[in-house]
């Protein structure tokens, strides 16, 4: 039996269709043309690129503000300048909100904020990732303090969701003032060159206060945040490739902290020999090489997704698959500053380790580190405190942790790079490993300084003592003999050894002390 839709009922349906079409179309064609002229997509076009085709379910399409004053009562567009809802990425649920710059410049008011609060609450309740597509002019000035309170609600929800669901911020336009703090609270920030900027105070304020003249991109553009400040994890030339990588990143992440990242069948044999590693890493401990080549040889099909590739380049952090299972890799990079740990490298690695631990992603640490970077700037900048962040992150991590020492592992940097003494489950080493308090030359100069100084031929005695120190304390089996390394392996066995160790640890369970939370050296 069917019910005919006639008369008032048909009129209501017609009205609904017209209203929804008006909401979906936005203010007018001219506003859309202005958006496109800036090289920017509209909010709905961005959502279409992010989510699987036809999967988007919008909520609160018909929401309108109720503010008065300054002419606002005469301008009440549907959506209030933000599109909210959920859809799927590779078949898995993802929540999204996208600022519509065509409406109030994407500025946040009370109704706008309430929509974002609702979608954030839904994401947390459903246990699914949240992606924000940011293109807004900050707080809606005409609404005063209620707009600021709206930001406070977003910050509170970002913090509550931290470590529970993945949060990704995609910067596709300007983001100034307090609005920049929501992206800063999320797990990953993506930016697009030329069109997106982030700063607390803009160029005009900077000039008025300090006299410095600088452009918006020079102050807070994508490359600045991807290479100088470390705020952005990724920078792209255009929006399509940016959103495609957001989709790829989501494929590597679990939906929430109660799940694990989805495995993917691999055609790359787990036992594949990695003979190339015998040649990639030079025997000379002072010769540089690119650690990325080592990672490519080890992981499934040579594919890895590097996090913050342009910042703190002396350490590499990447999400990879080993035998189909997502794994986090932290590796010293001898091709940049000899792979030393400094303030920025310590912060970068610590945050990555903390993220992987929060979302049950196992960790593999590749070690080739000569120590911490010496210098007045580093000491005065707090290298002790910042280096302790990495130490704290590893010590606090309960996920499976495997350390592999390739060559140098000197001093405190060896300990910090997930040594057995701070909780690594398995420690492996190549025959080229050199685990010591410091390099042989420096050690010999300290231990035998009097003998060297008193010798008729100091250079010959120094050379002899260096060789003596190397043979006594730096041979590749010294740490293994003392149980600090579980096995010394042929580099050709690296892939199979790592996969085997991680498979054994897959059911690892570790309890932390009963406490509200620790107090890391922030």
């Amino acid at each position: 039996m069917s019910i005919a839709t006639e008369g008032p009922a048909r009129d209501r349906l017609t009205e609904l269709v017209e209203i929804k079409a008006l909401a979906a179309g936005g203010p007018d064609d001219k506003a859309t043309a202005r958006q496109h002229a800036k090289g920017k997509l509209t909010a709905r076009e961005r959502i279409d690129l992010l989510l699987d085709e036809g999967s988007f379910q919008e909520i609160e399409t018909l929401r309108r503000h109720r503010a008065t004053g300054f002419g606002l009562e005469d301008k009440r567009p549907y959506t209030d300048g933000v599109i909210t809802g959920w859809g799927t990425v590779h078949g898995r649920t993802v929540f999204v909100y996208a600022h519509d710059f065509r409406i109030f410049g994407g500025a946040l008011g009370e109704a706008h904020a309430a929509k974002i609060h609702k979608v954030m609450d839904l994401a947390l309740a459903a246990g699914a990732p949240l992606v924000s597509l940011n293109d807004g002019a900050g707080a809606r000035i005409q609404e005063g303090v209620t707009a600021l309170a709206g930001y406070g609600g977003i910050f509170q929800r970002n913090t509550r969701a931290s470590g529970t669901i993945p949060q990704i911020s995609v910067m596709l336009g300007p983001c100034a003032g307090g609005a920049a703090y929501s992206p800063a609270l999320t797990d990953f920030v993506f930016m697009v060159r030329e069109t997106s900027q982030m700063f607390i105070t803009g160029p005009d304020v900077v000039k008025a206060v300090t006299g410095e003249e600088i452009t918006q991109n020079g102050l807070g553009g994508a490359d600045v945040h991807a290479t100088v400040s470390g705020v952005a994890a990724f920078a792209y030339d255009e929006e399509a490739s940016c959103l495609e990588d957001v989709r790829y990143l989501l494929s590597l992440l679990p939906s929430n902290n109660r799940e694990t990242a989805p495995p993917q069948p691999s055609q790359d044999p787990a036992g594949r020999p990695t003979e190339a590693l015998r040649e990639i890493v030079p025997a000379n401990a002072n010769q540089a090489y690119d650690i990325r080549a080592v990672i490519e040889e080890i992981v499934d099909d040579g594919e890895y997704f590097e996090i913050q590739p342009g910042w703190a380049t002396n350490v590499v952090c990447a999400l990879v698959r080993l035998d189909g299972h997502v794994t986090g890799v932290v590796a010293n990079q001898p091709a940049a500053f000899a792979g030393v740990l400094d303030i920025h490298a310590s912060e970068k690695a610590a945050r990555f380790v903390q993220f992987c631990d929060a979302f049950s992603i196992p960790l593999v640490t590749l070690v080739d580190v000569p120590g911490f970077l010496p210098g007045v700037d580093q000491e005065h900048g707090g290298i002790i405190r910042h280096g302790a962040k990495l130490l704290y992150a590893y010590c606090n991590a309960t996920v499976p942790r495997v350390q592999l020492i390739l060559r140098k592992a000197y001093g405190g940097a060896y300990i910090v790079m997930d040594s057995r003494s701070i909780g690594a489950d398995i420690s492996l080493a190549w025959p080229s490993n050199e685990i010591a308090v410091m390099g042989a030359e420096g050690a010999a100069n300290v231990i035998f300084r009097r003998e060297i100084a008193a010798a008729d031929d100091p250079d010959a005695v120094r050379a002899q003592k260096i060789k003596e120190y190397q043979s006594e304390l730096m041979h590749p089996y010294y740490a293994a003999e003392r149980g600090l390394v579980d096995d010394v392996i042929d580099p050709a066995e690296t892939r199979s050894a790592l996969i085997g160790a991680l498979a054994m640890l897959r059911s690892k369970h570790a309890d932390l002390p009963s406490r509200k939370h620790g107090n890391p050296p922030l």
Side-chain angles (χ1 to χ4, degrees), residues 430-475:
W430 287 355
S432 52
N433 81 81
E434 295 180 1
I435 306 173
V437 175
M438 62 176 67
E441 184 171 345
N445 286 336
V446 172
I447 298 171
F448 306 109
R449 62 182 181 278
R450 291 181 179 175
E451 292 180 50
I452 293 171
D456 295 333
D457 187 349
D459 291 337
V461 173
R462 181 181 294 106
Q464 176 192 344
K465 295 302 182 182
I466 289 173
K467 188 174 182 181
E468 181 181 327
Y469 183 84
Q470 287 174 324
S471 63
E472 289 286 331
L473 296 176
M474 291 185 67
H475 64 79

Side-chain angles (χ1 to χ4, degrees), residues 96-115:
V96 61
Y97 68 86
H99 298 128
D100 191 341
F101 194 83
R102 300 172 302 166
I103 298 175
F104 298 127
L108 181 139
E110 181 186 24
H112 184 119
K115 290 182 66 174

Side-chain angles (χ1 to χ4, degrees), residues 16 43 52 65 109 117 150 179-180 221-222 237 242 257 318 324 342 368 387 390 412 476 500 521:
L16 174 63
D52 296 338
H65 74 77
H117 296 169
D237 290 328
C242 175
N257 65 337
D342 60 6
D368 191 347
L390 181 54

Side-chain angles (χ1 to χ4, degrees), residues 256-316:
N256 56 66
N257 65 337
R258 301 181 301 277
E259 300 179 8
T260 56
Q264 181 175 295
S266 174
Q267 302 302 313
D268 194 348
R272 169 175 55 82
T274 50
E275 288 102 338
L277 295 179
R278 296 171 178 165
E279 306 299 327
I280 291 173
V281 180
N284 181 354
N286 295 319
Q287 187 174 342
Y289 64 94
D290 192 339
I291 195 66
R292 295 181 183 92
V294 174
I295 295 172
E296 286 178 10
E297 181 65 18
I298 293 171
V299 304
D300 292 357
D301 303 310
E303 293 184 3
Y304 63 95
F305 192 65
E306 187 173 355
I307 310 299
Q308 294 182 299
W311 184 63
T313 54
N314 39 328
V315 68
V316 172

